Amino acid sequence: MTGPREKDVNLGLQRPSDTKGQMLSQSRPVTSRELEDLLKLHPKEAAQKLLHRRSSCLLVQKQEVQAESLMLLVQVLAHVAASSWKENIGELILLMCEQRFFDRMCSHTMRIRRIYPEKCHDFLKHLFILLEAYAEAMIVVAVDSLSNLIDICMAVLPVTEDADLLKKYEQLQKLILEEQQKWYNDGPGRKGAISLLDNAEPPEDFREVPSFPTCEELLKRRKPFFRRNVTKGAYKDNNHYLDVQFRLLREDFTRPLREGINDFKEGVRNRDIRVYKDVTISKPVIKQGEIMHIARVKLPKNISFKKSKRLMHENLLCLSNDGFKTLLLGTVADTDDLECKGFLGIKLISDHQMVDLKGSFVIIESKAYFMAYRYVLQGLKNLTDKVPFEPYIIHVNPNVDIPEYLRKDTLYDLRVVKDLGLMVKPAMVKKPTSSPLCNVPMRSDLDTWPTSEELGLDDSQRRALHNALTRCFAVIQGPPGTGKTFIGLKITQILLHNSHIWNHKVKSSPILIISFTNHALDQFLEGISEYTNKIVRVGSRTNSTTIARFQIKHIVRSLRITRVTREHGVKEIKQEIEHVEKKIKKLQVRAECLECPPGILRLNEFVTVIPKIFMLQLREAPLSLWLLDQRLLGEAKMNVKRQNKVFKPACNVPSDLQFEVTFESLEKQRKEFESNKNVLAQMGIHFLLRQMEALQIGLQIHEDPDKIVELEKTCDNVWRLGIVRRWQLYKHWVRKVRCQVLDESSSAVDSHRKLSEDLQKCKNELSLYAMKQASVVGMTTTAAARNAQVLKDLAPSIVIIEEAAEVLESHVVTSLTTQCKHVIQIGDHQQLRPSATVHELATKYELEISLFERMIRNGLPFATLEFQHRMRPSISTLLVPSIYPALKDSPSVRDFPHIRGLQKDVFFFSHTYPEEKKAGDDLTHENVREAQFLMGLCRHLMLQGYTPDEVTILAAYSGQFFLLRKMLFYRCCSRLFSDTSGLRNASAERPRVQRCEDLCLGQFSG
């Protein structure tokens, strides 16, 4: 009878006494010592003992298991599975490898490289043997059970640097994926498999993961670690929340590019990427203050670059000249000469100093726009302190506080809701009046507020207004036509009118308006411009003539008198940048010339690289005499014949690079001798020809770096060397000089980058100054992430998010700062959700669930607008009650006149004319017969007395949109156009907005 085991080995349990002929107790797990003993047995005997005792199952079922014990158990199972004895293997695996076992393996595998880096490789090796046996024994079960664990193993494997083992895991993953395709497509079991990772620990801190995809991950089909968006319930903490958002957003961009590159390597067509072949890349140039490489790109003939979304500024490019065995990463930097000349400016991100940029490249571009991801990803990584509004965003606390700037006695003047003429300048004191809207206590309940009639609003708008002004984290849902923009503008009016309450007198800050699209942002700012002109619009992509004058570049220019000091700093930095740029260009020409010099340099060019003893010896005569020794010409000829190398000297020779002899100088002397007919001239010509031949041969001699380095150490007299060694030693020195030039050029590039950063900081200061003078600042979520530091310094107290339900949650969070005191989200999650690139991430990982919708799902208080003011009842009945059960018609819509010239106000026209696929990037379609019908219908409506401004055509496809616009152009018919793919929010949502009499839907389906 054996004594008790040690506690650390026995997992804290005492071993019961054994009785002769009695089986060991099954009430305790197997110990580490017993697992070690099983490793010494024959696999068959070890398997039988495991099956007989079944105590190893209890080890897996324990709440806490030591990592060493799990690793030992995997080793034992691998020991059994690797043997040729296959009897009862399936039964053993079924007994041991239940779902809890794989859950523990997922968690343990992610921790192992951090806790036991020295044991990581052996563990993964043993685990593969077990997983392979499991897949062979029961592939149907393995489809769900193994997928996530294999993904985790492949994420950890690079640490071990075992390429063979990684290949085995890739083959196993491929087997599982193929089996999934056979029998399993979007079944309910996949959700269970995905949920395995919900509570798993990430393999590393997400802040260590680069925002840019790495070359290694793009070249292999390896699924990284990521978890589902938690849409019901709370996140564990800030880090859990940021990790989930970061990894999902990063995978949403990276996966199409990764799959596209690997499909291209395998010769499979992929619609998520654009491929440009036969691209040549030239030397780097400086353009628009940036260092970039100019690539010559051939655009497809059937593509209109201006209409397409190809090669947009800062989009990510993957370049390769070896069939994507390796690749370089870069971003689009300049497209000014792309359409007319085919020249594309690329800013390389990867280290390309040791990469040969010669030859033909293939460029792959993702259709997903990288800039929309890049700055948001970086913004998530920069949230190191805490997530703004943590109680609600992280912990989904339904008890929302009032804004902290509202005191118990705070009174608001709400008269501006009905009278815009009462708008006053910020901080101006209002005189008390008897109006019930003048002094409204903001911390009072809705019952004590002014009535709907007094406010000029309907009941739901009144509730929404109260909700927005009295909750620090407000959510307002507005179905179509209920006036989301209208109520948002009213909220902004009230806040601006009462800004002395929330705006700090010393550190004043504007209201920040955030929107996902430029169109929605401009539309909201246009409404604000009706009662204030103190607006700053950040970003340049506006199509609104009203808002164009508020663009920040125009505002900054208008503040010249007040920003002399800052402008002076900008001018100084620009001058320094110009000086550095000239230096870089000069060094580039110098390095290019030294790569293939057209002659022999003067000795003084080598002062820093030639050893002193050689320098003294070579000063006795010109360097050309040492290298162009006619007596040794035969030896040089023999060396060159063996090389078969064509010599092409550099064309551009910098003025500061001094040569003793060049082909050009020798040719010039030869022409001078040809003008004389005497004997001496003929001898001179013969000598010069011999010199040119010797120079041509010498410059073609190949350098032998290893031997020359040794020769440089051992040689005592350079004049005793043969002609080949002389030229090799000379080229060795030229290479040294070129390396010094490249080092100097690299330092100049670093200086240029630092100066550019300093210049951007100065520009940010100017932008910040301009923003602080404004009452309202508007920007898209991408611009907000890009200007994160400026926003942090601006510290807006109030943020209003327009169309919040269409914005990815990560975009919203990176737009907020810790100084923000009040957030108002306005949108409708039942219309359009955020758009994700990868469908699986959008649906199965719930990336498409916005912060707006998540808050509503988790019971945070929100207000819903209930009365629609846009649609006649015959249209609104299509939405009620199927989509919006509580939506009601405003009395105003019941008085809309019937459409003249038509029997019905709403009708659906069905036809059988097929649509045609439009050539281009977007895989769009067009239907000529349907467009002709719509043109005829529009002409009919014009004849009934309607004006072009009263008719709108909505096209479901961009191809149909351009076709209709083309037809209208030829018919000289002016019209308001809306493309549903680009103008989601084309209709103003204020109740009194000018309505469109007739609406024609082109290519409506569903």
Side-chain angles (χ1 to χ4, degrees):
M1 188 164 52
T2 310
R5 308 287 189 187
E6 295 83 3
K7 284 190 178 181
D8 59 331
V9 177
N10 195 27
L11 309 177
L13 295 174
Q14 297 297 323
R15 180 179 178 180
S17 300
D18 293 343
T19 308
K20 187 176 181 179
Q22 185 181 15
M23 200 168 54
L24 286 172
S25 172
Q26 297 180 20
S27 62
R28 64 161 183 82
V30 65
T31 65
S32 298
R33 184 75 59 83
E34 290 167 345
L35 288 172
E36 290 172 357
D37 293 340
L38 289 173
L39 285 172
K40 300 173 184 178
L41 301 176
H42 186 275
K44 180 179 180 180
E45 189 178 353
Q48 288 174 341
K49 284 205 170 189
L50 284 172
L51 283 169
H52 182 60
R53 291 187 47 182
R54 299 179 180 261
S55 55
S56 50
C57 300
L58 297 176
L59 176 67
V60 179
Q61 293 169 3
K62 284 188 60 181
Q63 292 297 320
E64 294 183 8
V65 183
Q66 292 182 5
E68 294 91 339
S69 300
L70 275 178
M71 286 191 287
L72 270 173
L73 179 59
V74 170
Q75 189 176 356
V76 170
L77 292 173
H79 172 62
V80 174
S83 68
S84 58
W85 179 78
K86 299 297 180 183
E87 187 181 348
N88 294 330
I89 285 290
E91 183 184 353
L92 177 62
I93 290 176
L94 184 63
L95 173 68
M96 296 298 307
C97 303
E98 57 182 24
Q99 194 58 57
R100 184 175 296 185
F101 174 78
F102 290 115
D103 291 348
R104 289 193 182 277
M105 284 297 107
C106 285
S107 179
H108 175 70
T109 305
M110 284 184 290
R111 292 197 309 266
I112 187 170
R113 75 174 181 183
R114 187 171 63 246
I115 304 173
Y116 302 104
E118 71 286 350
K119 298 180 180 180
C120 184
H121 178 264
D122 289 339
F123 169 74
L124 291 172
K125 187 176 178 181
H126 296 143
L127 185 58
F128 171 77
I129 295 170
L130 174 60
L131 297 182
E132 185 181 40
Y134 184 81
E136 289 177 0
M138 45 196 72
I139 186 65
V140 175
V141 182
V143 167
D144 274 342
S145 300
L146 300 189
S147 182
N148 289 302
L149 181 54
I150 293 172
D151 290 341
I152 294 170
C153 291
M154 291 178 68
V156 175
L157 259 171
V159 179
T160 67
E161 299 181 353
D162 188 339
D164 293 336
L165 184 58
L166 179 58
K167 191 173 182 180
K168 290 179 180 178
Y169 269 102
E170 288 173 348
Q171 290 172 348
L172 182 58
Q173 184 189 49
K174 186 178 180 181
L175 173 69
I176 297 296
L177 291 174
E178 288 175 352
E179 195 63 29
Q180 281 181 341
Q181 295 297 324
K182 289 180 184 177
W183 67 275
Y184 179 73
N185 184 22
D186 292 336
R190 180 64 181 157
K191 288 189 176 180
I194 292 172
S195 66
L196 286 175
L197 295 177
D198 286 350
N199 297 315
E201 291 185 27
E204 71 279 294
D205 187 347
F206 76 93
R207 294 179 182 86
E208 298 173 2
V209 180
S211 300
F212 281 86
T214 64
C215 299
E216 292 76 16
E217 68 178 312
L218 290 176
L219 292 174
K220 292 185 179 180
R221 297 184 191 270
R222 186 184 304 159
K223 187 177 177 182
F225 172 83
F226 51 86
R227 294 171 286 185
R228 286 189 302 179
N229 187 13
V230 181
T231 57
K232 192 66 178 176
Y235 282 87
K236 297 176 185 176
D237 50 36
N238 284 355
N239 216 52
H240 178 212
Y241 172 77
L242 293 172
D243 184 276
V244 168
Q245 298 298 326
F246 177 87
R247 293 181 191 273
L248 281 177
L249 188 66
R250 189 176 186 274
E251 177 68 4
D252 192 49
F253 173 79
T254 305
R255 184 184 293 186
L257 197 55
R258 182 176 64 236
E259 296 299 319
I261 289 173
N262 284 280
D263 283 346
F264 177 81
K265 288 166 65 178
E266 297 168 7
V268 179
R269 186 181 177 186
N270 188 302
R271 294 181 176 180
D272 293 329
I273 60 170
R274 303 183 182 102
V275 181
Y276 308 91
K277 298 180 180 179
D278 301 323
V279 178
T280 55
I281 299 176
S282 67
K283 62 182 180 180
V285 299
I286 299 174
K287 190 175 182 182
Q288 299 174 354
E290 288 189 295
I291 299 172
M292 63 183 76
H293 287 73
I294 301 299
R296 192 172 188 86
V297 180
K298 297 177 183 177
L299 290 174
K301 294 181 180 179
N302 60 339
I303 297 298
S304 173
F305 176 69
K306 290 182 180 179
K307 292 181 181 178
S308 75
K309 295 182 179 180
R310 286 176 175 261
L311 300 171
M312 295 173 67
H313 185 66
E314 289 195 55
N315 203 15
L316 190 69
L317 303 175
C318 300
L319 305 85
S320 179
N321 59 358
D322 59 3
F324 284 93
K325 295 177 183 175
T326 60
L327 62 81
L328 293 173
L329 295 178
T331 56
V332 177
D334 177 64
T335 57
D336 291 347
D337 299 324
L338 180 59
E339 192 165 22
C340 57
K341 298 180 181 179
F343 294 150
L344 172 68
I346 300 176
K347 188 175 181 180
L348 292 180
I349 301 163
S350 305
D351 184 11
H352 59 278
Q353 298 297 331
M354 304 303 293
V355 179
D356 186 6
L357 295 179
K358 297 177 182 177
S360 178
F361 277 80
V362 174
I363 294 181
I364 288 182
E365 173 195 25
S366 173
K367 289 185 179 180
Y369 186 33
F370 181 58
M371 195 179 79
Y373 292 85
R374 175 183 179 181
Y375 297 106
V376 176
L377 289 171
Q378 192 57 47
L380 290 170
K381 293 171 73 173
N382 291 339
L383 286 171
T384 54
D385 301 330
K386 66 175 184 177
V387 175
F389 297 93
E390 179 184 344
Y392 318 113
I393 295 177
I394 306 296
H395 304 296
V396 290
N397 181 3
N399 301 314
V400 180
D401 295 330
I402 61 170
E404 63 178 61
Y405 58 78
L406 291 180
R407 299 185 300 274
K408 291 182 178 180
D409 57 347
T410 299
L411 303 175
Y412 264 18
D413 183 3
L414 302 184
R415 291 176 295 169
V416 289
V417 175
K418 298 186 73 174
D419 189 356
L420 271 178
L422 293 173
M423 283 292 293
V424 297
K425 295 181 179 179
M428 183 174 178
V429 179
K430 276 75 73 176
K431 295 180 180 179
T433 68
S434 58
S435 169
L437 303 180
C438 185
N439 295 304
V440 178
M442 293 309 295
R443 299 190 64 165
S444 61
D445 294 334
L446 179 63
D447 296 338
T448 61
W449 257 46
T451 64
S452 300
E453 290 75 15
E454 291 169 338
L455 288 167
L457 306 172
D458 63 47
D459 292 341
S460 63
Q461 289 173 339
R462 174 173 170 264
R463 287 194 299 272
L465 187 67
H466 181 270
N467 177 75
L469 296 175
T470 60
R471 288 193 172 100
C472 68
F473 196 77
V475 178
I476 299 174
Q477 183 199 4
T482 54
K484 293 190 296 294
T485 303
F486 169 78
I487 203 67
L489 291 172
K490 290 299 180 185
I491 292 166
T492 310
Q493 273 180 256
I494 293 169
L495 290 171
L496 288 177
H497 188 60
N498 298 275
S499 60
H500 63 284
I501 294 173
W502 55 266
N503 208 353
H504 199 282
K505 292 181 180 180
V506 179
K507 297 181 180 180
S508 62
S509 64
I511 294 174
L512 178 63
I513 308 295
I514 296 289
S515 179
F516 183 66
T517 63
N518 286 285
H519 176 79
L521 176 64
D522 290 339
Q523 187 183 42
F524 198 85
L525 293 179
E526 282 176 359
I528 294 175
S529 67
E530 293 179 7
Y531 48 82
T532 181
N533 60 1
K534 298 189 71 175
I535 300 172
V536 170
R537 205 288 198 185
V538 179
S540 57
R541 300 180 65 182
T542 177
N543 293 320
S544 170
T545 53
T546 305
I547 300 304
R549 63 193 176 101
F550 298 122
Q551 284 184 288
I552 192 163
K553 59 182 180 181
H554 301 313
I555 301 296
V556 168
R557 287 173 192 163
S558 67
L559 298 173
R560 291 186 182 277
I561 299 175
T562 57
R563 62 183 178 88
V564 175
T565 306
R566 295 180 178 86
E567 192 177 50
H568 180 67
V570 170
K571 286 182 177 178
E572 283 186 343
I573 295 174
K574 283 184 176 179
Q575 289 173 356
E576 288 185 52
I577 288 176
E578 288 178 7
H579 173 72
V580 173
E581 286 178 356
K582 289 178 181 177
K583 182 179 179 181
I584 292 172
K585 290 177 181 177
K586 186 177 178 181
L587 290 169
Q588 284 177 346
V589 175
R590 191 178 178 91
E592 185 181 353
C593 183
L594 288 170
E595 186 178 10
C596 201
I600 300 173
L601 293 163
R602 289 188 181 277
L603 189 61
N604 58 1
E605 296 287 350
F606 300 101
V607 171
T608 58
V609 298
I610 296 181
K612 290 182 180 180
I613 186 173
F614 295 163
M615 184 64 74
L616 292 172
Q617 293 169 6
L618 291 170
R619 279 178 178 168
E620 298 174 1
L623 198 57
S624 56
L625 183 62
W626 180 61
L627 290 170
L628 302 179
D629 193 331
Q630 303 292 329
R631 298 169 299 174
L632 305 173
L633 191 58
E635 179 192 350
K637 284 183 178 179
M638 292 297 293
N639 182 274
V640 171
K641 282 182 181 179
R642 292 194 295 266
Q643 290 183 34
N644 274 331
K645 186 177 179 182
V646 179
F647 172 71
K648 292 182 180 180
C651 299
N652 297 327
V653 179
S655 58
D656 64 330
L657 201 59
Q658 299 178 4
F659 285 86
E660 275 188 14
V661 177
T662 64
F663 285 108
E664 187 179 355
S665 65
L666 290 174
E667 181 64 22
K668 186 177 180 182
Q669 290 179 50
R670 188 183 67 80
K671 288 181 179 179
E672 289 176 357
F673 278 124
E674 282 181 347
S675 61
N676 297 318
K677 303 295 183 180
N678 56 41
V679 178
L680 288 175
Q682 294 302 316
M683 291 176 63
I685 291 173
H686 179 72
F687 174 76
L688 288 172
L689 290 173
R690 297 274 291 176
Q691 289 281 88
M692 291 175 72
E693 181 186 13
L695 181 60
Q696 177 79 18
I697 292 170
L699 289 173
Q700 294 184 71
I701 292 174
H702 181 66
E703 181 192 354
D704 192 346
D706 296 333
K707 290 183 179 179
I708 291 304
V709 171
E710 185 63 29
L711 177 66
E712 194 176 36
K713 295 177 181 178
T714 58
C715 179
D716 56 356
N717 193 332
V718 292
W719 288 95
R720 294 176 185 171
L721 296 173
I723 191 67
V724 174
R725 287 287 184 245
R726 292 183 187 185
W727 272 103
Q728 288 177 339
L729 190 58
Y730 167 78
K731 289 196 169 186
H732 174 66
W733 294 333
V734 171
R735 185 166 57 83
K736 278 187 171 182
V737 173
R738 185 170 183 271
C739 287
Q740 289 182 344
V741 173
L742 291 175
D743 289 342
E744 192 176 353
S745 177
S746 180
S747 299
V749 169
D750 289 340
S751 299
H752 186 277
R753 186 179 63 253
K754 290 176 183 176
L755 286 169
S756 297
E757 290 173 358
D758 292 340
L759 179 63
Q760 188 58 51
K761 286 179 182 177
C762 286
K763 289 181 177 179
N764 288 346
E765 286 182 17
L766 293 171
S767 299
L768 179 63
Y769 180 78
M771 291 182 200
K772 285 186 174 180
Q773 311 310 308
S775 298
V776 175
V777 172
M779 62 181 72
T780 62
T781 54
T782 302
R786 189 173 191 173
N787 295 278
Q789 187 56 50
V790 177
L791 280 182
K792 188 174 181 180
D793 296 334
L794 183 65
S797 298
I798 300 174
V799 176
I800 298 175
I801 305 170
E802 170 72 349
E803 297 295 355
E806 296 181 33
V807 186
L808 288 168
E809 181 161 348
S810 51
H811 286 249
V812 174
V813 173
T814 52
S815 303
L816 305 176
T817 66
T818 52
Q819 296 93 342
C820 184
K821 301 172 184 175
H822 194 175
V823 171
I824 302 169
Q825 295 186 80
I826 305 172
D828 181 17
H829 59 288
Q830 291 179 282
Q831 288 188 55
L832 286 172
R833 280 178 165 173
S835 177
T837 304
V838 180
H839 179 71
E840 183 192 24
L841 297 180
T843 56
K844 297 177 183 177
Y845 289 85
E846 301 194 281
L847 180 60
E848 66 179 356
I849 303 300
S850 62
L851 176 65
F852 181 96
E853 182 175 354
R854 188 166 70 86
M855 295 298 98
I856 292 176
R857 282 189 178 192
N858 283 279
L860 268 75
F862 68 99
T864 301
L865 302 176
E866 296 177 352
F867 292 89
Q868 67 89 13
H869 304 258
R870 182 190 300 162
M871 301 170 283
R872 63 173 70 249
S874 56
I875 299 175
S876 63
T877 52
L878 300 174
L879 308 178
V880 180
S882 58
I883 301 175
Y884 299 101
L887 186 63
K888 305 177 183 68
D889 292 330
S890 171
S892 60
V893 302
R894 297 170 188 162
D895 300 328
F896 287 172
H898 295 290
I899 305 300
R900 297 190 294 272
L902 297 179
Q903 292 183 349
K904 296 180 180 180
D905 296 323
V906 179
F907 67 91
F908 294 89
F909 174 74
S910 178
H911 64 82
T912 57
Y913 296 109
E915 59 191 16
E916 299 174 1
K917 182 179 177 182
K918 179 73 175 176
D921 284 344
D922 300 325
L923 303 175
T924 187
H925 298 77
E926 61 180 31
N927 193 305
V928 177
R929 294 299 297 269
E930 186 174 302
Q932 291 172 343
F933 167 77
L934 286 172
M935 290 299 100
L937 177 60
C938 289
R939 186 172 182 275
H940 173 72
L941 291 171
M942 298 298 109
L943 294 174
Q944 308 307 312
Y946 292 109
T947 63
D949 289 340
E950 292 177 301
V951 180
T952 296
I953 299 177
L954 295 179
Y957 302 138
S958 59
Q960 190 75 354
F961 166 74
F962 288 117
L963 175 64
L964 288 165
R965 189 169 69 173
K966 183 178 178 181
M967 285 185 172
L968 283 179
F969 174 77
Y970 287 122
R971 293 180 182 229
C972 300
C973 186
S974 158
R975 187 168 315 284
L976 172 67
F977 261 83
S978 294
D979 177 11
T980 54
S981 64
L983 302 178
R984 297 179 177 183
N985 311 301
S987 303
E989 297 186 350
R990 291 172 292 163
R992 296 180 181 85
V993 72
Q994 180 183 356
R995 60 188 172 83
C996 184
E997 295 288 343
D998 304 281
L999 177 66
C1000 303
L1001 288 176
Q1003 292 181 311
F1004 178 79
S1005 61

